[in-house]
Amino acid sequence: VLTLSAGDTFDQGPMVQLDLADEAHKMIADLARFAADQGAEILLEADPGAFIRGNRVAFALALRNLLVNAVKHNPSPVRIVVKVRAGRKHHRVTVGDNGPGIPRRMQEHVFECFYSGNREGRSGGAGIGLYLVQQNVLNMNGRIELVSDEGQGTTFTITLPAEREAG
């Protein structure tokens, strides 16, 4: 709540060139022990050359939140696959899991501030994580989408404008 009330919540530093594959690799390495302790496996499939102009902290927070949610809100063992796909105009980062999925009635609300779902005794959290993910992605001129079918897992896709690699 304090983070949301701060006027500079989303002003987290300069926009710099980011290699999405490298940023994803670092985040997965950072969360490896946490994931293993929870019985989760996180894999990375990354295309080279997926460069964006973005805020390193904002992107890291968005990806971290999606990964932590996938670990915490799915029964063990869960398999999470992060895919970085390079495109001509946009690059995509997907975080997909093989968990039970998000009920359709909850899907339209997951990005709302303070919306929290509670499923099968698992904590729904405070309801600010996915809201912050969305705000950070929007502030990098991107978008985030959710696809989930009950019993089939959940996939979040972040789409960000492509930038050519600096020569």
Side-chain angles (χ1 to χ4, degrees), residues 37-161:
D37 288 348
Q38 302 295 316
E41 176 184 32
I42 304 175
L43 305 170
L44 175 63
E45 298 174 11
D47 293 344
F51 293 93
I52 66 160
R53 178 144 307 272
N55 179 281
R56 180 167 276 116
V57 172
F59 180 76
L61 288 172
L63 183 57
R64 178 183 211 75
N65 188 284
L66 293 175
L67 291 170
V68 168
N69 279 357
V71 171
K72 286 174 47 177
H73 298 291
N74 285 302
S76 180
V78 63
R79 184 171 192 253
I80 302 158
V81 179
V82 177
K83 295 179 182 177
V84 176
R85 295 295 177 242
R88 297 184 95 199
K89 294 184 179 183
H90 295 91
H91 303 309
R92 288 181 174 73
V93 178
T94 62
V95 176
D97 66 58
N98 65 344
I102 298 172
R104 192 167 306 277
R105 63 181 158 64
M106 295 172 60
Q107 291 179 27
E108 66 185 73
H109 302 289
V110 298
F111 295 111
E112 293 174 8
C113 191
F114 301 119
Y115 178 79
S116 175
N118 188 358
R119 186 172 70 229
E120 298 172 10
R122 300 180 77 79
S123 169
I128 59 172
L130 290 175
Y131 170 78
L132 293 174
V133 167
Q134 182 182 52
Q135 295 307 306
N136 282 323
V137 169
L138 290 173
N139 285 333
M140 290 187 290
N141 298 313
R143 67 181 187 272
I144 185 165
E145 298 170 341
L146 161 69
V147 174
S148 185
D149 291 316
E150 286 189 73
Q152 309 256 340
T154 299
T155 301
F156 287 92
T157 302
I158 297 172
T159 303
L160 296 163

Side-chain angles (χ1 to χ4, degrees), residues 1-13:
V1 174
L2 292 175
T3 300
L4 290 174
S5 67
D8 60 347
T9 296
F10 302 107
D11 182 18
Q12 299 165 336

Side-chain angles (χ1 to χ4, degrees), residues 22-36:
D22 187 48
E23 297 298 320
H25 176 75
K26 287 185 225 176
M27 183 56 62
I28 291 168
D30 187 47
L31 293 173
R33 185 177 182 113
F34 164 73

